[in-house]
Amino acid sequence: MGEAFLEVMGLNKQFGGLKAVNDVNFSVAREEILGLIGPNGAGKTTLVRLITGILKADSGSILFKKREITGKKTWDIVNRGIACTFQNMRPFRRLPIIANVMVSCLSPRAMKRGEWVKRIEAKAMDALEFAGISDMALEDASTLSQGDLKRLEVARAIATEPELLILDEPFGGLSPAETELMAKSIHRLHKGGRFGRLHSEGPAMIIIVHKLQQLMKIADRIIVLNFGTIIADGTPVEIVNNSKVIEAYLGEGEI
Amino acid sequence: MDLIRFYVRKLFTVLKNEVIVLPSRVVVVVFFLFLLLLPVFTNNQYTLRIFTLTCIFAILAASWDLLSGFTGQINFGHALFFGVGAYAAAMSNLHVHLPPWASIPLGGLVAVLAGLIIGIPCLRLRGTYLALTTLAFPIILMGFVFAFPDLTGGELGISGIERIARSRVTNYYIVAGLMFGLCTIMWKITDSNTGIIFHAIREDELAVRASGVNTTRYKLLAFCLSGFFAGIAGGLYAHFMRIAGPSTLEVSMSFLVVIWAVFGGVATIYGPVGAVFILFPLLEFLRFWQEYRTLMFACVLIVILLYMPDGLFPWLRDKIETECPRCKIRNIATRTVCRVCSASLE
Ligand SMILES: Nc1ncnc2c1ncn2[C@@H]1O[C@H](COP(=O)(O)OP(=O)(O)O)[C@@H](O)[C@H]1O
Ligand SMILES: [Mg+2]
């Protein structure tokens, strides 16, 4: 497991009396796809929001490429190379789909890294093509279906050319066929070479899902969160056989 | 001779292929011609004066739209920029003897400064809180005006300012030309990449930040740009009226701007401009009806808000034009196929 690319140490976040994230430690390597699973309300989304600076942590620190990013502004963190998608999609509804992605393309990071001969519109179109919704580029975002909104979220995130991509429930609310497609896109993106001029390695990823099954094929390593703490950390095969994980998911039926 | 013929023919081609095809473009051309020819048809000083003032307020309304319509930072104290521009232009003209062509842009720059000063504390605020806070700023400045009458002229304001130009007609042409130019610039800004970010900030600021864009900088930019154009309007007003008084800072002035913009249609630029050109002369010419003026005004406004929630001009535009579902190009409503991609418009 190469050297730490993202390192989260002793992270805590409390909402009133509720410890949403409780002393979380983990790291992600540069070429890794890390799965993050846990029952509803386990604190997965909160963890993402802490990493991307949308929420301020109560204590703990986050290192990205050996630099402290705790307490930095969200846009700053994104420009350092971490992009995330929102679980409950947040498109700019009254803007055309291409304009949604152009906002990301206008971030300093994307302006610096992309093929600078390309126009912003062309770059945005690239991202849309990758996500598979380029044919609807001119429609308003409000006309998109649930599955296509997920794709738009992904397009927006990859348009900033991240080195670490955090996907919050990319399969949530998708049909099995759509899930299959999305998983393929994610895998293809991770292998890299498609985006950007400077780094063609493809981003490291943290993928949050609800059901372990969807991660078995694509994740290198999985961590399991329950009540804000990490209860297991290992390869997919280790995780399915872990008794604590099975217990945590007992109430929810299928893992 | 050939060259002239070439350009005339080119002008006709542009008219035929680019202007006649879209009613809204025809309206803009007609509007331009109306402004251009108005002094030819009327020598009435009063009419010219009203339309000069209309042009000034059109700049002001458009500048509010640039800030509040596009980025969603609702500003209920837009009179601040107007007043600051007017006072700055008046003072620099009276005390330093700057000519109008210098004092008016200076008014704009001082208003940019005002935009920065109120923009920075306002960045943390949102929605109603922002609106109420901005409402307070012109009132605070008005307090200063009354507190230092030696400098500001107090209640009477600063008078004896130089005219923009000697004749009323020249005055009118300068102001109308500036109105056309500045509104075009504002429209171009909203149509650019910066405009997309402004729009996106109104939709969902957090998502813009998560896209790696420094929203603070863009919001401040919006405050400054808006302040600049409103300050120029204020400077023009001071030089045209030859007085800069506390009336430029009044709450009613701030609200009038909001009413114009909402009436015409926010986030369009052309909406507020058109609204001023309807409402301001209408209100002036109804002066003999003093008692019923405000009442009628309120009624018209309520009707507009109830039946055309997007404002008058977007509503009209949707009536006379349809958007092609395929290529999103606008077409005149009578067409059945798109003029560009031939898709069916039904
Ligand atoms: N902004 C907030 N204020 C208060 N409580 C919150 C907030 N966000 C999340 N929570 C609570 O924190 C817990 C973890 O939420 P979340 O991170 O969204 O879980 P997950 O994404 O794993 O389903 C939940 O109990 C939720 O109710
Ligand atoms: Mg969640």
Side-chain angles (χ1 to χ4, degrees), chain B residues 9 16 51 54 68 82 126 144 148 151 156 167 177 206 244 249 255 261 266 307 338:
Chain B
R9 195 174 299 159
K16 187 164 141 261
F51 275 98
T54 307
S68 301
F82 190 66
R126 236 157 287 245
F144 273 104
F148 303 101
L151 194 68
L156 298 174
S167 82
L206 180 62
L249 288 167
F255 276 123
V266 291
Y307 293 100
C338 173

Short mmCIF file of all heavy atoms in Angstrom, two decimals, chain B residues 9 16 51 54 68 82 126 144 148 151 156 167 177 206 244 249 255 261 266 307 338:
data_model
loop_
_atom_site.label_atom_id
_atom_site.label_comp_id
_atom_site.label_asym_id
_atom_site.label_seq_id
_atom_site.Cartn_x
_atom_site.Cartn_y
_atom_site.Cartn_z
N ARG B 9 -25.17 47.34 -48.72
CA ARG B 9 -25.71 46.00 -48.99
C ARG B 9 -25.49 45.08 -47.78
O ARG B 9 -26.35 44.30 -47.41
CB ARG B 9 -25.04 45.41 -50.23
CG ARG B 9 -25.82 44.20 -50.76
CD ARG B 9 -25.26 43.70 -52.07
NE ARG B 9 -25.33 44.71 -53.13
CZ ARG B 9 -24.56 44.67 -54.21
NH1 ARG B 9 -23.68 43.70 -54.37
NH2 ARG B 9 -24.66 45.60 -55.14
N LYS B 16 -31.70 41.81 -42.72
CA LYS B 16 -32.61 40.77 -43.21
C LYS B 16 -32.37 39.44 -42.49
O LYS B 16 -33.31 38.78 -42.07
CB LYS B 16 -32.40 40.60 -44.71
CG LYS B 16 -33.40 39.67 -45.36
CD LYS B 16 -33.40 39.83 -46.87
CE LYS B 16 -33.55 38.49 -47.55
NZ LYS B 16 -32.31 37.91 -48.02
N PHE B 51 -36.84 62.05 -20.43
CA PHE B 51 -36.18 60.88 -21.03
C PHE B 51 -34.70 60.82 -20.66
O PHE B 51 -34.11 59.73 -20.60
CB PHE B 51 -36.40 60.85 -22.54
CG PHE B 51 -37.70 60.19 -22.89
CD1 PHE B 51 -38.82 60.94 -23.16
CD2 PHE B 51 -37.81 58.81 -22.86
CE1 PHE B 51 -40.04 60.34 -23.44
CE2 PHE B 51 -39.01 58.19 -23.13
CZ PHE B 51 -40.14 58.96 -23.42
N THR B 54 -34.87 59.20 -17.40
CA THR B 54 -35.20 57.79 -17.61
C THR B 54 -33.94 56.99 -17.94
O THR B 54 -33.73 55.90 -17.40
CB THR B 54 -36.21 57.66 -18.76
OG1 THR B 54 -37.32 58.51 -18.50
CG2 THR B 54 -36.69 56.23 -18.89
N SER B 68 -28.13 41.82 -7.83
CA SER B 68 -29.15 41.06 -7.10
C SER B 68 -29.87 40.05 -7.99
O SER B 68 -30.18 38.95 -7.55
CB SER B 68 -30.17 42.03 -6.50
OG SER B 68 -29.50 42.92 -5.63
N PHE B 82 -25.81 54.91 -5.70
CA PHE B 82 -26.30 56.06 -6.46
C PHE B 82 -25.91 57.35 -5.75
O PHE B 82 -25.33 58.26 -6.35
CB PHE B 82 -27.82 55.94 -6.60
CG PHE B 82 -28.44 56.91 -7.55
CD1 PHE B 82 -28.17 56.85 -8.91
CD2 PHE B 82 -29.30 57.90 -7.09
CE1 PHE B 82 -28.76 57.73 -9.78
CE2 PHE B 82 -29.89 58.79 -7.97
CZ PHE B 82 -29.62 58.71 -9.31
N ARG B 126 -26.98 36.16 4.28
CA ARG B 126 -27.73 35.59 3.18
C ARG B 126 -29.19 36.00 3.30
O ARG B 126 -29.66 36.30 4.40
CB ARG B 126 -27.67 34.07 3.26
CG ARG B 126 -27.14 33.41 2.01
CD ARG B 126 -26.59 32.07 2.36
NE ARG B 126 -25.34 32.26 3.07
CZ ARG B 126 -24.15 31.88 2.63
NH1 ARG B 126 -24.07 31.25 1.55
NH2 ARG B 126 -23.05 32.11 3.29
N PHE B 144 -24.56 60.65 8.09
CA PHE B 144 -23.31 61.41 7.91
C PHE B 144 -23.57 62.71 7.19
O PHE B 144 -23.01 63.76 7.54
CB PHE B 144 -22.30 60.57 7.11
CG PHE B 144 -21.47 59.68 7.97
CD1 PHE B 144 -21.72 58.32 8.04
CD2 PHE B 144 -20.42 60.21 8.72
CE1 PHE B 144 -20.96 57.50 8.84
CE2 PHE B 144 -19.65 59.39 9.53
CZ PHE B 144 -19.93 58.03 9.59
N PHE B 148 -22.53 66.37 8.92
CA PHE B 148 -21.46 67.27 8.48
C PHE B 148 -21.97 68.21 7.38
O PHE B 148 -21.54 68.09 6.23
CB PHE B 148 -20.26 66.47 7.98
CG PHE B 148 -19.71 65.53 9.00
CD1 PHE B 148 -20.01 64.17 8.96
CD2 PHE B 148 -18.88 66.01 10.02
CE1 PHE B 148 -19.50 63.30 9.91
CE2 PHE B 148 -18.38 65.13 10.97
CZ PHE B 148 -18.69 63.79 10.92
N LEU B 151 -19.61 70.12 4.83
CA LEU B 151 -18.98 69.37 3.75
C LEU B 151 -20.01 68.91 2.71
O LEU B 151 -19.77 68.95 1.51
CB LEU B 151 -18.26 68.15 4.35
CG LEU B 151 -17.28 67.44 3.43
CD1 LEU B 151 -16.09 68.35 3.15
CD2 LEU B 151 -16.82 66.15 4.09
N LEU B 156 -29.89 70.56 2.22
CA LEU B 156 -30.04 71.20 0.90
C LEU B 156 -29.20 70.52 -0.17
O LEU B 156 -29.47 70.67 -1.35
CB LEU B 156 -29.64 72.68 1.01
CG LEU B 156 -30.51 73.49 1.95
CD1 LEU B 156 -29.95 74.89 2.09
CD2 LEU B 156 -31.94 73.53 1.44
N SER B 167 -26.22 72.38 -24.06
CA SER B 167 -27.61 72.30 -24.52
C SER B 167 -28.28 71.04 -23.97
O SER B 167 -27.63 70.04 -23.68
CB SER B 167 -27.66 72.29 -26.04
OG SER B 167 -27.42 70.98 -26.51
N GLY B 177 -26.58 57.79 -24.97
CA GLY B 177 -25.49 56.98 -25.52
C GLY B 177 -24.81 56.16 -24.44
O GLY B 177 -24.56 54.97 -24.61
N LEU B 206 -22.95 26.82 -2.31
CA LEU B 206 -22.08 25.75 -1.81
C LEU B 206 -21.56 24.89 -2.96
O LEU B 206 -20.39 24.52 -3.00
CB LEU B 206 -22.86 24.89 -0.80
CG LEU B 206 -22.08 23.74 -0.20
CD1 LEU B 206 -20.89 24.25 0.58
CD2 LEU B 206 -22.98 22.90 0.68
N ALA B 244 -26.67 67.47 -5.78
CA ALA B 244 -26.58 66.15 -5.16
C ALA B 244 -27.09 66.30 -3.74
O ALA B 244 -26.42 66.91 -2.91
CB ALA B 244 -25.15 65.64 -5.17
N LEU B 249 -30.27 59.27 -1.54
CA LEU B 249 -29.97 58.16 -0.62
C LEU B 249 -31.23 57.59 0.03
O LEU B 249 -31.15 56.67 0.82
CB LEU B 249 -29.04 58.66 0.50
CG LEU B 249 -27.60 58.95 0.12
CD1 LEU B 249 -26.90 59.71 1.22
CD2 LEU B 249 -26.88 57.65 -0.18
N PHE B 255 -36.03 51.29 -3.02
CA PHE B 255 -37.16 50.41 -3.32
C PHE B 255 -37.63 50.57 -4.75
O PHE B 255 -38.02 49.60 -5.39
CB PHE B 255 -38.31 50.66 -2.34
CG PHE B 255 -38.13 49.91 -1.07
CD1 PHE B 255 -38.10 50.56 0.15
CD2 PHE B 255 -37.97 48.53 -1.08
CE1 PHE B 255 -37.91 49.86 1.33
CE2 PHE B 255 -37.77 47.83 0.08
CZ PHE B 255 -37.74 48.49 1.29
N ALA B 261 -36.95 46.61 -11.35
CA ALA B 261 -36.33 45.36 -11.78
C ALA B 261 -37.33 44.20 -11.74
O ALA B 261 -37.43 43.41 -12.68
CB ALA B 261 -35.12 45.04 -10.92
N VAL B 266 -36.25 40.12 -13.44
CA VAL B 266 -34.88 40.10 -12.93
C VAL B 266 -34.02 39.13 -13.73
O VAL B 266 -34.53 38.26 -14.43
CB VAL B 266 -34.82 39.71 -11.42
CG1 VAL B 266 -35.39 40.80 -10.56
CG2 VAL B 266 -35.51 38.39 -11.19
N TYR B 307 -49.61 37.79 -12.36
CA TYR B 307 -49.80 37.07 -13.61
C TYR B 307 -48.51 36.83 -14.38
O TYR B 307 -48.47 35.99 -15.27
CB TYR B 307 -50.83 37.79 -14.48
CG TYR B 307 -52.19 37.72 -13.85
CD1 TYR B 307 -52.72 38.80 -13.15
CD2 TYR B 307 -52.95 36.55 -13.92
CE1 TYR B 307 -53.95 38.72 -12.54
CE2 TYR B 307 -54.18 36.46 -13.32
CZ TYR B 307 -54.68 37.56 -12.62
OH TYR B 307 -55.89 37.46 -12.02
N CYS B 338 -37.69 25.34 -36.89
CA CYS B 338 -36.60 26.19 -36.43
C CYS B 338 -35.84 26.77 -37.62
O CYS B 338 -35.59 26.08 -38.60
CB CYS B 338 -35.66 25.37 -35.55
SG CYS B 338 -34.18 26.26 -35.09
#
